[in-house]
Amino acid sequence: MAVERKVPAIIDNPMSFCPGCGHGIIIRLICECLEELGQDQNIIFPIGVGCSSNLGGGLVTDRLHCPHGRAGAVATGMKRVNPDNIIITYQGDGDAYNIGIAESINAAYRNENITVITVNNTNFGMTGGQMSVTTMEGQKTSTSTHGRDCSITGFPMRFPELVASQFHIAYAARGTVSSPAHINQLKGYIKNAIEAQMNKEGNSVVEVLSPCPINWNLTPIKAMERIDNELISYFPLGEFKQRSVKEA
């Protein structure tokens, strides 16, 4: 007999994401993890500018819309002033890795005890589908109409691997929402990241490969297939920095 999954209490309204987008799944997983860890009444979200802005309209939580790209800096201030609160940034790749690369890098460099969730849909989703640092080689966007030329713009950035290899952070992983198995795997990554913060282990980073059917000019099903067939080979799934302190 199937067991009905209860909607987490802090989700109180539908959020206006595009049909087939992965944000709703990701937010649901974050809220489930917070509730299961007893932190759903102890959370503050510094929210990025972009598709992630829709997060604020659907949750009964403390949250702050940050200047574009500045969530890493805002989260740092929040955590230092309120060390007992759980602080989770929620950003897109354009916000976190283009506009906010300095803030994201420096939060990891300092090993700030925050959790960073970045949704990678390989473009600036809300503002018209412009090229971002995660746009794939040859991918057409509104600012790379003939396809991204990596000989000019550089190759797509793999942020979790970068900070995991260079900085003394607590945890880094990448997941996706392209199948039920991947969703279950992603939930484990998100829970690990939150637990790392709860245990004061340091900076935790989870990137999520997410479909963007509107800007990719694909159906929702084809967008999910693109993740499996194209993106995962360049942006591999898994844990790049495992926690050194495990839950007892």
Side-chain angles (χ1 to χ4, degrees):
M1 179 178 176
V3 177
E4 182 180 359
R5 296 181 68 177
K6 179 175 66 71
V7 176
I10 59 174
I11 299 177
D12 71 335
N13 282 304
M15 286 167 261
S16 55
F17 296 112
C18 300
C21 168
H23 277 282
I25 299 172
I26 301 163
I27 293 165
R28 171 67 179 255
L29 295 179
I30 294 170
C31 293
E32 285 184 0
C33 290
L34 287 169
E35 190 167 84
E36 291 167 13
L37 294 170
Q39 299 298 317
D40 56 321
Q41 301 301 313
N42 187 40
I43 175 69
I44 307 175
F45 285 103
I47 302 170
V49 171
C51 301
S52 57
S53 301
N54 289 319
L55 175 72
L59 300 183
V60 186
T61 64
D62 289 324
R63 57 193 182 272
L64 177 68
H65 276 102
C66 306
H68 207 347
R70 309 305 183 240
V74 173
T76 295
M78 286 180 174
K79 189 66 177 183
R80 292 191 180 195
V81 173
N82 305 285
D84 294 329
N85 286 121
I86 295 299
I87 310 295
I88 300 177
T89 72
Y90 190 78
Q91 303 168 264
D93 54 286
D95 185 83
Y97 301 160
N98 280 80
I99 307 297
I101 188 61
E103 286 74 15
S104 298
I105 285 283
N106 278 285
Y109 170 70
R110 295 190 304 267
N111 198 28
E112 298 289 347
N113 191 40
I114 60 174
T115 299
V116 176
I117 308 292
T118 305
V119 181
N120 176 3
N121 57 20
T122 74
N123 74 119
F124 281 82
M126 178 172 279
T127 56
Q130 296 90 346
M131 185 181 76
S132 80
V133 295
T134 63
T135 296
M136 296 293 285
E137 185 172 18
Q139 180 179 338
K140 294 181 180 180
T141 73
S142 61
T143 53
S144 58
T145 55
H146 299 290
R148 181 178 185 175
D149 183 350
C150 292
S151 69
I152 296 172
T153 64
F155 286 84
M157 177 183 290
R158 290 182 277 229
F159 186 84
E161 290 96 322
L162 172 65
V163 295
S165 65
Q166 297 300 314
F167 305 138
H168 295 288
I169 65 172
Y171 184 74
R174 180 185 292 113
T176 188
V177 296
S178 63
S179 73
H182 283 144
I183 290 169
N184 287 334
Q185 181 186 56
L186 173 61
K187 182 174 180 179
Y189 296 159
I190 293 171
K191 183 170 284 189
N192 248 328
I194 298 171
E195 287 177 331
Q197 184 180 166
M198 291 171 63
N199 293 342
K200 299 180 174 59
E201 296 166 26
N203 193 258
S204 53
V205 173
V206 177
E207 181 180 291
V208 185
L209 301 179
S210 179
C212 188
I214 300 298
N215 288 314
W216 291 357
N217 295 310
L218 296 172
T219 66
I221 291 175
K222 291 296 184 182
M224 289 293 192
E225 290 176 355
R226 180 183 182 236
I227 293 175
D228 290 336
N229 297 333
E230 181 181 349
L231 299 189
I232 290 176
S233 62
Y234 187 88
F235 297 109
L237 308 182
E239 296 176 310
F240 307 105
K241 181 67 176 291
Q242 294 186 334
R243 294 168 59 201
S244 57
V245 179
K246 297 293 184 180
E247 184 181 12

